[in-house]
Amino acid sequence: LKYIGRFAPSPTGPLHFGSLVAAVASYCDAKANNGKWLLRIEDLDKPREVSGATQTILLQLACFGFIWDDEIIYQSERTFIYQAALNALSKQKLTYPCTCSRKEIADAATHKGIEGAIYPGTCLHERIKLHAPIAWRIKAPDSVIAFEDRIQGKQSQNIAQDIGDYVLKRVDQLFAYQLAVVVDDADQHITHVVRGVDLLNSTARQIYLQQSLQLTSVQYAHIPVVTNAQGEKLSKQTLAPAINSHNAAEELCYALQFLNQNPPEYLKRESLTTIWDWAIDHWSIAKIQPNINNCI
Ligand code: GLU
Ligand code: ZN
C-alpha cells in the first residue's frame, strides 16, 4: 500500500472542532489516495487521561461516519516496545540519565529555546544524584534537520540550538510523546502524517529519532489549528466544546469549510455518506493555506 495514514487522539476529553478538523483532513487525504486510515489512542499520559474519554471519542468518530481500518492501537499497552526503542538508542550511546528537577533546570539554564529553557546538559557532564528518580534524555544533534511539509513548505531546525537534549522517558517513568509517536508510526507502517500545525515544531525531533532507530521516514502535512475568538488553540484547557454527534452533517461541512475545500451550501442537508463521497472526491490538500490561524 502506498498510503497509510492515521489519526492519533489523546483521551484527555471528547473531540472538539479542532480535533474533528484534524480527523477529517487525515481521513480525506488517506481515502483520496486510496490509502488506509488507522486509529491510535495516545493514552500514554495516564495522569492527564479523562476516564471514559476513549469510549466517547470512538463513539463520536463512528457517529460522524469515520471508518477506520485494522485494529486500534493503544499506547498504554506498548510500554515494552518503547523501552526496547530506548534501549536501542542507549546502546548507541545517544542517551543519558537525568536527575534534575524542573527548578534545577530553570536555575541552571542559560539559553532559551523555542520551548523555554534549554537543558544545560548538567547530567551529561556531572555525576547524577543517587536515589533520585531518573529521566532519560537524548543528546540533541547540532546540525540542521530539513524536511518538506506538504502544506507548510520547506522546514528546518537545529535541535541543539532550538530545543536542546530532549526527554524520551520522564521522571515518572512514562515514555514521552516524541518517542512513542515515532515507534508507533513505524509499527503501523504509516507513510503520511496529517496533523495540526502545533506539532510542526516536534517534527525535527521525530525525524531525528526515526533516523537514529533506522526507521523509514514519513511525509508530513501540518494543517492550521483552529483557534477561539481569543486566538487560543481549541483544547480542553481552553474549554472547547465537544463536537455534536446530533449535528454531524453540518459540523462535517464546517470542518471542510475550515480546510478551504469549499463545500456547496446544500451539502449540510445531505446524508453523511453523500458528504463523505463529496469530500473525498473533491479533496485538494493544495487548497489548505499554510499556517493561518482561523477563528471558528
Ligand atoms: N496525540 C496527539 C494529540 O492529540 C497527536 C499526535 C500526532 O498526531 O502526532 O495532539
Ligand atoms: Zn539532569
Side-chain angles (χ1 to χ4, degrees), residues 3 86 92 102 112 132 150 177 197 204 207 225 232 291:
Y3 190 117
L86 178 60
Q92 301 177 61
R102 224 174 262 246
K112 251 195 143 59
R150 292 166 66 211
Y177 156 71
V197 77
I207 291 173
V225 293
E232 305 159 322
N291 225 353

Side-chain angles (χ1 to χ4, degrees), residues 167-224:
V167 171
L168 300 181
K169 190 179 188 179
R170 306 179 347 188
V171 271
D172 57 10
Q173 301 308 296
L174 291 174
F175 286 94
Y177 156 71
Q178 307 292 0
L179 179 67
V181 76
V182 163
V183 170
D184 290 347
D185 282 342
D187 278 358
Q188 291 188 292
H189 305 289
I190 301 300
T191 59
H192 293 74
V193 166
V194 178
R195 62 185 178 190
V197 77
D198 54 315
L199 293 167
L200 188 60
N201 246 335
S202 293
T203 308
R205 272 170 277 178
Q206 294 170 16
I207 291 173
Y208 180 63
L209 287 174
Q210 283 160 3
Q211 292 172 348
S212 303
L213 290 163
Q214 272 112 15
L215 303 172
T216 48
S217 54
V218 171
Q219 297 255 34
Y220 292 97
H222 287 87
I223 58 171

